[in-house]
Amino acid sequence: MKLSVIGSGHVGLVTGVCFAEKGHEMLCVDHDTEKLARLKKGESPFYEPGMNELLQKHLATGRLKFSGRTEDAVEFGQAIFICVGTPSTPRGKADMTYIEKAAQTIAENLKEYRLVIEKSTVPIQTGERLKRTIARYVKGDAQFDVASNPEFLREGTAIEDTLKPDRVVIGVDSAKAEALLREIYAGFNCPIVVTSVGSAELIKHASNSFLALKITFANWLARLCEASGADVEQVVHGMGLDHRIGRHFLNAGIGYGGSCFPKDVDALAHIAEELRVDASLIRLISDTNKSQLQRFYEKMESELWVLNDKTIAIWGLAFKPNTDDLREAPALRLIDMLKKAGAKLRVHDPVAMPNTRKVHPDLYYARDAIDACAGADALAVCTEWPQYRELDLAKVKASLRVPIVFDGRNCLDRKRAAELNIRLLGIGKGPIGAQ
Ligand code: UGA
């Protein structure tokens, strides 16, 4: 089928390359000319494993094309995915400017039936608004439907998640829209959940907020473990074996980040409050998450006493492994706090250093993880890149001035650290090593 995508960011571009991989003809649109120039050369504007390969493959097969004009998207695809950004305001209200602009342009250029699909994460009831906006601005008598088809991809595994999803959710209010979406997803081997547009929108928000709640529960448990002498990893292992609970997303750490959880949790609370539904449970997720990093910083301060003039190594800058995305990355907040306290920072990340340099040009960007530790008074691990787990802790100890490690992701080998007499302070477990 011929399909269009408006907005070639993380969601839009992954949608474009993955549907091309499934045999559809795709036209992806973006207004950023610099980004378009890179995309046309087969270069992804962000780091995502497997993205460049698929991009180049389907530029070559001709199944993937790019344009700077939204009008082209309306003409090209029988179905149009809206994947533009919905940035959030401080209390969580999403800014819908780009969505509305896309809807107006679709309406003004509508010549024959089109299925308009919201794929960006949008507040509930956006489908209704979209429908009304298109109906208001449409010029002729061309028909259209609006559907919701939320994405559940994770950065770092976006292509795998999209090609092999756990489920596909389609929110529709006409048989024609359902038939088209079923045809689009014919090549996918997973359950297709058909709901109303409003329910599909809520499934997306509820899923993200529930996952954020699971993480936050584990982080709260970690506090209780630290206070009581229990070990959070043992606790969540024991809990997670119960199928009703599950082990995923129960890893305690320095809090969740990224472009989705912080924004979506706040947005869900905001919408609930607008609808006069008490949202204190959801607000608490966000507040507890923010204080998790504060606690980590306080742990560093209490252990290191004076931070002013101390040299601290930081491993991991991206909000999670396998991405160069720094949005709401806990490491960036920690850097701000440590800088304010007068610490000198030596940082490392396998792919996110160029992006970090744009915000913090004044840090020392290390050649590798061991170089980051050279002469440092302590090391703080903020992102659990697999290559950090694999490093020989003896080399880490030899490089540090004082062998103190704050493991914000519980990803280092505690047994080995104990053998080497490294002082290791994790999350939700007692410290090991000499004082
Ligand atoms: C998240 C969801 O997992 C996707 O299903 C969803 O499609 C996406 O948001 C979105 O709305 O677009 P993503 O933000 O890419 O995906 O990354 P996650 O793997 O969910 O991680 C989010 C944050 O939670 C990271 O900072 C990660 O370190 C943290 N996390 C995750 C924990 O602290 N503990 C865990 O157990 C799991």
Side-chain angles (χ1 to χ4, degrees), residues 165-213:
D166 288 348
R167 79 307 204 182
V168 164
V169 174
I170 57 179
V172 285
D173 54 16
S174 86
K176 187 167 182 177
E178 180 181 339
L180 274 174
L181 270 155
R182 282 193 182 275
E183 198 181 331
I184 293 170
Y185 282 103
F188 289 70
N189 183 23
C190 68
I192 304 236
V193 182
V194 183
T195 68
S196 67
V197 176
S199 296
E201 290 170 342
L202 192 49
I203 288 172
K204 167 69 191 189
H205 270 291
S207 301
N208 271 8
S209 296
F210 189 75
L211 290 170
L213 175 66

Side-chain angles (χ1 to χ4, degrees), residues 121 151-155 204 208 211 215 249-251 255-257 260-261 264 319-320 409:
T121 304
E151 53 76 25
F152 300 101
L153 64 86
R154 287 162 298 173
E155 289 185 25
K204 167 69 191 189
N208 271 8
L211 290 170
I215 298 168
F249 279 67
L250 276 178
N251 296 317
Y256 59 76
C260 305
F261 286 172
D264 290 358
F319 83 95
K320 62 181 268 188
R409 297 291 181 183

Side-chain angles (χ1 to χ4, degrees), residues 321-376:
N322 290 316
T323 178
D324 61 355
D325 197 338
L326 296 173
R327 285 175 288 178
E328 301 285 331
L332 284 201
R333 262 185 68 212
L334 184 69
I335 287 172
D336 283 337
M337 291 188 226
L338 290 171
K339 265 170 95 169
K340 217 164 152 197
K344 294 180 222 137
L345 304 177
R346 300 174 65 86
V347 304
H348 179 264
D349 187 285
V351 298
M353 288 201 283
N355 283 349
T356 313
R357 206 187 284 269
K358 291 180 203 154
V359 218
H360 288 291
D362 51 340
L363 308 177
Y364 175 79
Y365 290 87
R367 287 188 305 278
D368 52 43
I370 298 297
D371 176 43
C373 297

Side-chain angles (χ1 to χ4, degrees), residues 390-402:
E390 284 152 23
L391 273 176
D392 181 359
L393 285 178
K395 286 194 185 143
V396 176
K397 182 176 180 184
S399 187
L400 286 167
R401 182 176 176 205
V402 190

Side-chain angles (χ1 to χ4, degrees), residues 16 19 69 83 94 101 158 284 288 293 335 342 351 377:
F19 279 141
R69 299 175 68 246
C83 299
K101 279 224 156 63
L284 209 52
T288 311
L293 186 74
I335 287 172
V351 298
D377 298 284

Side-chain angles (χ1 to χ4, degrees), residues 82 84-89 92-104 118 120-127 129-130 133 201 205 263:
I82 301 185
V84 297
T86 53
S88 78
T89 54
K93 188 171 171 27
D95 178 351
M96 304 301 285
T97 310
Y98 298 117
I99 298 259
E100 200 200 31
K101 279 224 156 63
Q104 284 183 16
E118 37 170 41
S120 308
T121 304
V122 289
I124 48 180
Q125 298 179 327
T126 298
R129 292 270 186 190
L130 263 180
T133 306
E201 290 170 342
H205 270 291
K263 182 172 97 137

